[in-house]
Amino acid sequence: MQINFTHHQSAHCENGVISNLMKHHGFNVSEPMAFGIGSGLLFCYIPFLMVNHAPAFTYRALPGIIFKRFAKRVGIKIKREKFKNPQLAKARLDENLKNNNPVGLQVGVYNLVYFPDEYRFHFNAHNLVVYGKENDTYLISDPVMETVTTLTDKQLEKVRFAKGAFAPKGHIYYPIDFPKELNLEKAIIKGIKHTCRDMLAPMPVLGVKGIRHTAKLIRKWPKKKGVKKANHYLGQIVRMQEEIGTGGGGFRYIFAAFLQESSKVLNKPELSELSKEMTNIGDLWRDFAVDASRIYKNRSAKDDAYNNVASQLEVIADKEEVFFKKLKKAVK
């Protein structure tokens, strides 16, 4: 069972799965377009969700939400299933492959044997495509990898039924119905408006306010938590920004590419200018990550290092607030 499926590498797994599945079904949807229409860009501090003994910080919508929003906005129907029984999950996967239907899976990263060791940690919201099977080996198109790869049925079962936060429970998903053509114009505007609403939300842990709140926390952590824990928490921010998925800076670059592409679809040159602005903001996120990593690796040469990186975040928050207010006006 091998489907004629073309693998395209992407920056982020869920966007890549959407783009690859859409291309397989004859719709040329880029990764940035999938991400933007699905309103993937976000910032949220989640103090009650502990990941590796530190509170979670997310730079994206919850796993699965991007595809759900994208599908609804362009008029596609998706079938999703989760399972308690691994045998049933395997049977459903094999059934789809026999029907020449590549599928998306949500899996845990820790036991993905083709990942480098440094990227294998307990994170259960990774996405990939299975496009075939040879004997007891599944053919895998993981969008973040340069080429296709494989997993044995036991290896695949292990990652499909990983334990912990966001446990995938054998989650399988695939499109089942398509319109004759995608109405990208309306979908783009809905995607942009939703992202602006999230990033300008009046909640202290969400969007621009969430970034400012995080800056305040960073200033307090050394005295309140002690240097060791403060460093661990700071490391969590950077890890979730740079390693889990694509994170803060990377998502800003993808969103900038989405605006660049959307400016042509909507014939709105102002979106092209805003794209450049978002690219610059992405650079500031990357600078923050570099400086923060020097602190928790005990290599920072700057005095008052925590206050310094907190100030960098406050600058980012100010720039993102101005940016999203302009973007909101651009699509009214």
Side-chain angles (χ1 to χ4, degrees), residues 192-220:
I192 290 174
K193 284 182 175 178
H194 192 131
T195 300
C196 291
R197 204 160 55 240
D198 282 347
M199 291 304 296
L200 297 170
M203 293 174 66
V205 296
L206 189 64
V208 168
K209 286 187 180 293
I211 300 170
R212 290 199 181 104
H213 183 64
T214 302
K216 287 178 185 174
L217 291 174
I218 290 171
R219 293 185 194 279
K220 294 176 183 176

PDB file of all heavy atoms in Angstrom, residues 192-220:
ATOM      1  N   ILE A 192      -7.612  36.737   9.415  1.00  0.00           N
ATOM      2  CA  ILE A 192      -6.921  37.928   9.932  1.00  0.00           C
ATOM      3  C   ILE A 192      -7.700  38.558  11.082  1.00  0.00           C
ATOM      4  O   ILE A 192      -7.130  38.906  12.128  1.00  0.00           O
ATOM      5  CB  ILE A 192      -6.679  38.954   8.801  1.00  0.00           C
ATOM      6  CG1 ILE A 192      -5.615  38.426   7.820  1.00  0.00           C
ATOM      7  CG2 ILE A 192      -6.253  40.310   9.377  1.00  0.00           C
ATOM      8  CD1 ILE A 192      -5.404  39.308   6.596  1.00  0.00           C
ATOM      9  N   LYS A 193      -9.002  38.707  10.917  1.00  0.00           N
ATOM     10  CA  LYS A 193      -9.815  39.329  11.971  1.00  0.00           C
ATOM     11  C   LYS A 193      -9.742  38.529  13.278  1.00  0.00           C
ATOM     12  O   LYS A 193      -9.650  39.103  14.363  1.00  0.00           O
ATOM     13  CB  LYS A 193     -11.269  39.452  11.510  1.00  0.00           C
ATOM     14  CG  LYS A 193     -11.494  40.585  10.510  1.00  0.00           C
ATOM     15  CD  LYS A 193     -12.961  40.703  10.130  1.00  0.00           C
ATOM     16  CE  LYS A 193     -13.190  41.927   9.225  1.00  0.00           C
ATOM     17  NZ  LYS A 193     -14.603  42.038   8.815  1.00  0.00           N
ATOM     18  N   HIS A 194      -9.775  37.210  13.164  1.00  0.00           N
ATOM     19  CA  HIS A 194      -9.706  36.354  14.345  1.00  0.00           C
ATOM     20  C   HIS A 194      -8.357  36.514  15.053  1.00  0.00           C
ATOM     21  O   HIS A 194      -8.286  36.622  16.284  1.00  0.00           O
ATOM     22  CB  HIS A 194      -9.918  34.891  13.930  1.00  0.00           C
ATOM     23  CG  HIS A 194     -10.145  33.966  15.087  1.00  0.00           C
ATOM     24  ND1 HIS A 194     -11.179  33.058  15.131  1.00  0.00           N
ATOM     25  CD2 HIS A 194      -9.467  33.805  16.260  1.00  0.00           C
ATOM     26  CE1 HIS A 194     -11.125  32.388  16.273  1.00  0.00           C
ATOM     27  NE2 HIS A 194     -10.083  32.820  16.965  1.00  0.00           N
ATOM     28  N   THR A 195      -7.278  36.554  14.273  1.00  0.00           N
ATOM     29  CA  THR A 195      -5.941  36.719  14.862  1.00  0.00           C
ATOM     30  C   THR A 195      -5.827  38.063  15.574  1.00  0.00           C
ATOM     31  O   THR A 195      -5.281  38.144  16.681  1.00  0.00           O
ATOM     32  CB  THR A 195      -4.855  36.596  13.779  1.00  0.00           C
ATOM     33  OG1 THR A 195      -4.955  35.308  13.170  1.00  0.00           O
ATOM     34  CG2 THR A 195      -3.465  36.767  14.361  1.00  0.00           C
ATOM     35  N   CYS A 196      -6.336  39.112  14.948  1.00  0.00           N
ATOM     36  CA  CYS A 196      -6.309  40.444  15.580  1.00  0.00           C
ATOM     37  C   CYS A 196      -7.100  40.439  16.885  1.00  0.00           C
ATOM     38  O   CYS A 196      -6.665  41.020  17.887  1.00  0.00           O
ATOM     39  CB  CYS A 196      -6.880  41.497  14.628  1.00  0.00           C
ATOM     40  SG  CYS A 196      -5.840  41.825  13.197  1.00  0.00           S
ATOM     41  N   ARG A 197      -8.238  39.775  16.872  1.00  0.00           N
ATOM     42  CA  ARG A 197      -9.078  39.693  18.080  1.00  0.00           C
ATOM     43  C   ARG A 197      -8.326  38.992  19.201  1.00  0.00           C
ATOM     44  O   ARG A 197      -8.344  39.428  20.354  1.00  0.00           O
ATOM     45  CB  ARG A 197     -10.360  38.941  17.722  1.00  0.00           C
ATOM     46  CG  ARG A 197     -11.542  39.240  18.610  1.00  0.00           C
ATOM     47  CD  ARG A 197     -12.880  38.881  17.957  1.00  0.00           C
ATOM     48  NE  ARG A 197     -12.956  37.504  17.502  1.00  0.00           N
ATOM     49  CZ  ARG A 197     -13.158  37.149  16.233  1.00  0.00           C
ATOM     50  NH1 ARG A 197     -13.284  38.071  15.297  1.00  0.00           N
ATOM     51  NH2 ARG A 197     -13.237  35.879  15.890  1.00  0.00           N
ATOM     52  N   ASP A 198      -7.653  37.894  18.879  1.00  0.00           N
ATOM     53  CA  ASP A 198      -6.890  37.160  19.894  1.00  0.00           C
ATOM     54  C   ASP A 198      -5.738  37.986  20.445  1.00  0.00           C
ATOM     55  O   ASP A 198      -5.506  38.040  21.656  1.00  0.00           O
ATOM     56  CB  ASP A 198      -6.322  35.864  19.291  1.00  0.00           C
ATOM     57  CG  ASP A 198      -7.365  34.757  19.175  1.00  0.00           C
ATOM     58  OD1 ASP A 198      -8.454  34.893  19.772  1.00  0.00           O
ATOM     59  OD2 ASP A 198      -7.084  33.759  18.477  1.00  0.00           O
ATOM     60  N   MET A 199      -4.986  38.613  19.554  1.00  0.00           N
ATOM     61  CA  MET A 199      -3.776  39.326  19.970  1.00  0.00           C
ATOM     62  C   MET A 199      -4.081  40.638  20.691  1.00  0.00           C
ATOM     63  O   MET A 199      -3.252  41.157  21.427  1.00  0.00           O
ATOM     64  CB  MET A 199      -2.869  39.570  18.764  1.00  0.00           C
ATOM     65  CG  MET A 199      -2.230  38.310  18.205  1.00  0.00           C
ATOM     66  SD  MET A 199      -1.288  37.360  19.431  1.00  0.00           S
ATOM     67  CE  MET A 199       0.014  38.514  19.863  1.00  0.00           C
ATOM     68  N   LEU A 200      -5.291  41.181  20.488  1.00  0.00           N
ATOM     69  CA  LEU A 200      -5.684  42.431  21.162  1.00  0.00           C
ATOM     70  C   LEU A 200      -6.717  42.169  22.266  1.00  0.00           C
ATOM     71  O   LEU A 200      -7.354  43.090  22.758  1.00  0.00           O
ATOM     72  CB  LEU A 200      -6.254  43.421  20.134  1.00  0.00           C
ATOM     73  CG  LEU A 200      -5.270  43.878  19.050  1.00  0.00           C
ATOM     74  CD1 LEU A 200      -5.988  44.662  17.959  1.00  0.00           C
ATOM     75  CD2 LEU A 200      -4.135  44.715  19.649  1.00  0.00           C
ATOM     76  N   ALA A 201      -6.857  40.908  22.660  1.00  0.00           N
ATOM     77  CA  ALA A 201      -7.865  40.523  23.664  1.00  0.00           C
ATOM     78  C   ALA A 201      -7.592  41.195  25.009  1.00  0.00           C
ATOM     79  O   ALA A 201      -6.430  41.398  25.389  1.00  0.00           O
ATOM     80  CB  ALA A 201      -7.872  39.005  23.836  1.00  0.00           C
ATOM     81  N   PRO A 202      -8.670  41.543  25.755  1.00  0.00           N
ATOM     82  CA  PRO A 202      -8.492  42.219  27.056  1.00  0.00           C
ATOM     83  C   PRO A 202      -8.220  41.257  28.200  1.00  0.00           C
ATOM     84  O   PRO A 202      -8.617  41.507  29.330  1.00  0.00           O
ATOM     85  CB  PRO A 202      -9.845  42.924  27.233  1.00  0.00           C
ATOM     86  CG  PRO A 202     -10.828  42.032  26.538  1.00  0.00           C
ATOM     87  CD  PRO A 202     -10.086  41.405  25.377  1.00  0.00           C
ATOM     88  N   MET A 203      -7.562  40.160  27.942  1.00  0.00           N
ATOM     89  CA  MET A 203      -7.262  39.161  28.986  1.00  0.00           C
ATOM     90  C   MET A 203      -5.783  39.234  29.346  1.00  0.00           C
ATOM     91  O   MET A 203      -4.934  39.331  28.454  1.00  0.00           O
ATOM     92  CB  MET A 203      -7.600  37.755  28.482  1.00  0.00           C
ATOM     93  CG  MET A 203      -9.089  37.533  28.255  1.00  0.00           C
ATOM     94  SD  MET A 203      -9.388  35.917  27.507  1.00  0.00           S
ATOM     95  CE  MET A 203      -8.864  34.834  28.823  1.00  0.00           C
ATOM     96  N   PRO A 204      -5.451  39.161  30.629  1.00  0.00           N
ATOM     97  CA  PRO A 204      -4.058  39.377  31.052  1.00  0.00           C
ATOM     98  C   PRO A 204      -3.076  38.295  30.597  1.00  0.00           C
ATOM     99  O   PRO A 204      -1.870  38.519  30.624  1.00  0.00           O
ATOM    100  CB  PRO A 204      -4.144  39.406  32.587  1.00  0.00           C
ATOM    101  CG  PRO A 204      -5.411  38.695  32.921  1.00  0.00           C
ATOM    102  CD  PRO A 204      -6.347  38.967  31.786  1.00  0.00           C
ATOM    103  N   VAL A 205      -3.558  37.125  30.186  1.00  0.00           N
ATOM    104  CA  VAL A 205      -2.637  36.054  29.798  1.00  0.00           C
ATOM    105  C   VAL A 205      -2.587  35.838  28.281  1.00  0.00           C
ATOM    106  O   VAL A 205      -1.836  35.010  27.790  1.00  0.00           O
ATOM    107  CB  VAL A 205      -3.024  34.712  30.474  1.00  0.00           C
ATOM    108  CG1 VAL A 205      -2.878  34.814  31.976  1.00  0.00           C
ATOM    109  CG2 VAL A 205      -4.430  34.259  30.076  1.00  0.00           C
ATOM    110  N   LEU A 206      -3.376  36.610  27.539  1.00  0.00           N
ATOM    111  CA  LEU A 206      -3.544  36.356  26.108  1.00  0.00           C
ATOM    112  C   LEU A 206      -3.041  37.524  25.261  1.00  0.00           C
ATOM    113  O   LEU A 206      -3.185  38.688  25.635  1.00  0.00           O
ATOM    114  CB  LEU A 206      -5.033  36.115  25.819  1.00  0.00           C
ATOM    115  CG  LEU A 206      -5.430  35.632  24.420  1.00  0.00           C
ATOM    116  CD1 LEU A 206      -4.856  34.253  24.132  1.00  0.00           C
ATOM    117  CD2 LEU A 206      -6.960  35.581  24.291  1.00  0.00           C
ATOM    118  N   GLY A 207      -2.448  37.203  24.127  1.00  0.00           N
ATOM    119  CA  GLY A 207      -2.059  38.213  23.153  1.00  0.00           C
ATOM    120  C   GLY A 207      -1.029  39.192  23.691  1.00  0.00           C
ATOM    121  O   GLY A 207      -0.131  38.834  24.467  1.00  0.00           O
ATOM    122  N   VAL A 208      -1.179  40.448  23.290  1.00  0.00           N
ATOM    123  CA  VAL A 208      -0.242  41.497  23.678  1.00  0.00           C
ATOM    124  C   VAL A 208      -0.175  41.644  25.199  1.00  0.00           C
ATOM    125  O   VAL A 208       0.908  41.786  25.775  1.00  0.00           O
ATOM    126  CB  VAL A 208      -0.664  42.836  23.012  1.00  0.00           C
ATOM    127  CG1 VAL A 208       0.095  43.999  23.615  1.00  0.00           C
ATOM    128  CG2 VAL A 208      -0.448  42.759  21.505  1.00  0.00           C
ATOM    129  N   LYS A 209      -1.327  41.591  25.851  1.00  0.00           N
ATOM    130  CA  LYS A 209      -1.357  41.695  27.324  1.00  0.00           C
ATOM    131  C   LYS A 209      -0.627  40.518  27.968  1.00  0.00           C
ATOM    132  O   LYS A 209       0.028  40.657  29.006  1.00  0.00           O
ATOM    133  CB  LYS A 209      -2.809  41.774  27.829  1.00  0.00           C
ATOM    134  CG  LYS A 209      -3.462  43.128  27.579  1.00  0.00           C
ATOM    135  CD  LYS A 209      -4.819  43.195  28.247  1.00  0.00           C
ATOM    136  CE  LYS A 209      -5.482  44.551  28.015  1.00  0.00           C
ATOM    137  NZ  LYS A 209      -4.801  45.661  28.672  1.00  0.00           N
ATOM    138  N   GLY A 210      -0.733  39.352  27.359  1.00  0.00           N
ATOM    139  CA  GLY A 210      -0.024  38.169  27.857  1.00  0.00           C
ATOM    140  C   GLY A 210       1.484  38.321  27.760  1.00  0.00           C
ATOM    141  O   GLY A 210       2.227  37.882  28.655  1.00  0.00           O
ATOM    142  N   ILE A 211       1.951  38.969  26.685  1.00  0.00           N
ATOM    143  CA  ILE A 211       3.391  39.222  26.529  1.00  0.00           C
ATOM    144  C   ILE A 211       3.867  40.172  27.629  1.00  0.00           C
ATOM    145  O   ILE A 211       4.908  39.954  28.260  1.00  0.00           O
ATOM    146  CB  ILE A 211       3.704  39.800  25.129  1.00  0.00           C
ATOM    147  CG1 ILE A 211       3.281  38.819  24.031  1.00  0.00           C
ATOM    148  CG2 ILE A 211       5.207  40.107  24.993  1.00  0.00           C
ATOM    149  CD1 ILE A 211       3.333  39.386  22.621  1.00  0.00           C
ATOM    150  N   ARG A 212       3.085  41.223  27.885  1.00  0.00           N
ATOM    151  CA  ARG A 212       3.458  42.194  28.943  1.00  0.00           C
ATOM    152  C   ARG A 212       3.446  41.518  30.319  1.00  0.00           C
ATOM    153  O   ARG A 212       4.319  41.773  31.153  1.00  0.00           O
ATOM    154  CB  ARG A 212       2.488  43.378  28.933  1.00  0.00           C
ATOM    155  CG  ARG A 212       2.639  44.278  27.716  1.00  0.00           C
ATOM    156  CD  ARG A 212       2.023  45.654  27.945  1.00  0.00           C
ATOM    157  NE  ARG A 212       2.181  46.460  26.751  1.00  0.00           N
ATOM    158  CZ  ARG A 212       1.209  46.728  25.881  1.00  0.00           C
ATOM    159  NH1 ARG A 212      -0.013  46.274  26.086  1.00  0.00           N
ATOM    160  NH2 ARG A 212       1.451  47.471  24.823  1.00  0.00           N
ATOM    161  N   HIS A 213       2.449  40.670  30.540  1.00  0.00           N
ATOM    162  CA  HIS A 213       2.355  39.954  31.815  1.00  0.00           C
ATOM    163  C   HIS A 213       3.573  39.045  32.015  1.00  0.00           C
ATOM    164  O   HIS A 213       4.128  38.958  33.120  1.00  0.00           O
ATOM    165  CB  HIS A 213       1.063  39.130  31.841  1.00  0.00           C
ATOM    166  CG  HIS A 213       0.814  38.411  33.119  1.00  0.00           C
ATOM    167  ND1 HIS A 213       0.596  39.061  34.319  1.00  0.00           N
ATOM    168  CD2 HIS A 213       0.767  37.082  33.400  1.00  0.00           C
ATOM    169  CE1 HIS A 213       0.410  38.171  35.283  1.00  0.00           C
ATOM    170  NE2 HIS A 213       0.514  36.960  34.753  1.00  0.00           N
ATOM    171  N   THR A 214       3.996  38.403  30.942  1.00  0.00           N
ATOM    172  CA  THR A 214       5.173  37.525  31.010  1.00  0.00           C
ATOM    173  C   THR A 214       6.428  38.327  31.338  1.00  0.00           C
ATOM    174  O   THR A 214       7.283  37.874  32.112  1.00  0.00           O
ATOM    175  CB  THR A 214       5.348  36.766  29.679  1.00  0.00           C
ATOM    176  OG1 THR A 214       4.156  36.004  29.425  1.00  0.00           O
ATOM    177  CG2 THR A 214       6.548  35.839  29.716  1.00  0.00           C
ATOM    178  N   ALA A 215       6.541  39.517  30.780  1.00  0.00           N
ATOM    179  CA  ALA A 215       7.687  40.388  31.084  1.00  0.00           C
ATOM    180  C   ALA A 215       7.733  40.711  32.583  1.00  0.00           C
ATOM    181  O   ALA A 215       8.810  40.681  33.207  1.00  0.00           O
ATOM    182  CB  ALA A 215       7.597  41.673  30.258  1.00  0.00           C
ATOM    183  N   LYS A 216       6.567  40.996  33.166  1.00  0.00           N
ATOM    184  CA  LYS A 216       6.506  41.273  34.615  1.00  0.00           C
ATOM    185  C   LYS A 216       6.936  40.050  35.431  1.00  0.00           C
ATOM    186  O   LYS A 216       7.636  40.176  36.431  1.00  0.00           O
ATOM    187  CB  LYS A 216       5.081  41.673  35.008  1.00  0.00           C
ATOM    188  CG  LYS A 216       4.680  43.078  34.548  1.00  0.00           C
ATOM    189  CD  LYS A 216       3.244  43.365  34.939  1.00  0.00           C
ATOM    190  CE  LYS A 216       2.807  44.724  34.383  1.00  0.00           C
ATOM    191  NZ  LYS A 216       1.364  44.975  34.625  1.00  0.00           N
ATOM    192  N   LEU A 217       6.503  38.868  34.984  1.00  0.00           N
ATOM    193  CA  LEU A 217       6.882  37.635  35.689  1.00  0.00           C
ATOM    194  C   LEU A 217       8.396  37.440  35.675  1.00  0.00           C
ATOM    195  O   LEU A 217       8.997  37.063  36.684  1.00  0.00           O
ATOM    196  CB  LEU A 217       6.198  36.429  35.031  1.00  0.00           C
ATOM    197  CG  LEU A 217       4.686  36.304  35.184  1.00  0.00           C
ATOM    198  CD1 LEU A 217       4.163  35.134  34.359  1.00  0.00           C
ATOM    199  CD2 LEU A 217       4.298  36.119  36.652  1.00  0.00           C
ATOM    200  N   ILE A 218       9.004  37.673  34.508  1.00  0.00           N
ATOM    201  CA  ILE A 218      10.457  37.488  34.366  1.00  0.00           C
ATOM    202  C   ILE A 218      11.214  38.373  35.359  1.00  0.00           C
ATOM    203  O   ILE A 218      12.203  37.953  35.961  1.00  0.00           O
ATOM    204  CB  ILE A 218      10.905  37.779  32.913  1.00  0.00           C
ATOM    205  CG1 ILE A 218      10.386  36.682  31.977  1.00  0.00           C
ATOM    206  CG2 ILE A 218      12.432  37.857  32.815  1.00  0.00           C
ATOM    207  CD1 ILE A 218      10.590  36.978  30.505  1.00  0.00           C
ATOM    208  N   ARG A 219      10.726  39.591  35.569  1.00  0.00           N
ATOM    209  CA  ARG A 219      11.385  40.511  36.522  1.00  0.00           C
ATOM    210  C   ARG A 219      11.313  39.972  37.950  1.00  0.00           C
ATOM    211  O   ARG A 219      12.201  40.177  38.765  1.00  0.00           O
ATOM    212  CB  ARG A 219      10.729  41.893  36.467  1.00  0.00           C
ATOM    213  CG  ARG A 219      10.934  42.637  35.149  1.00  0.00           C
ATOM    214  CD  ARG A 219      10.362  44.047  35.237  1.00  0.00           C
ATOM    215  NE  ARG A 219      10.244  44.667  33.928  1.00  0.00           N
ATOM    216  CZ  ARG A 219      11.238  45.248  33.273  1.00  0.00           C
ATOM    217  NH1 ARG A 219      12.444  45.282  33.817  1.00  0.00           N
ATOM    218  NH2 ARG A 219      11.042  45.804  32.093  1.00  0.00           N
ATOM    219  N   LYS A 220      10.219  39.253  38.262  1.00  0.00           N
ATOM    220  CA  LYS A 220      10.000  38.766  39.630  1.00  0.00           C
ATOM    221  C   LYS A 220      10.655  37.416  39.925  1.00  0.00           C
ATOM    222  O   LYS A 220      10.946  37.098  41.075  1.00  0.00           O
ATOM    223  CB  LYS A 220       8.490  38.645  39.894  1.00  0.00           C
ATOM    224  CG  LYS A 220       7.739  39.961  39.904  1.00  0.00           C
ATOM    225  CD  LYS A 220       6.246  39.688  40.069  1.00  0.00           C
ATOM    226  CE  LYS A 220       5.427  40.982  40.018  1.00  0.00           C
ATOM    227  NZ  LYS A 220       3.979  40.695  40.078  1.00  0.00           N
TER     228      LYS A 220
END
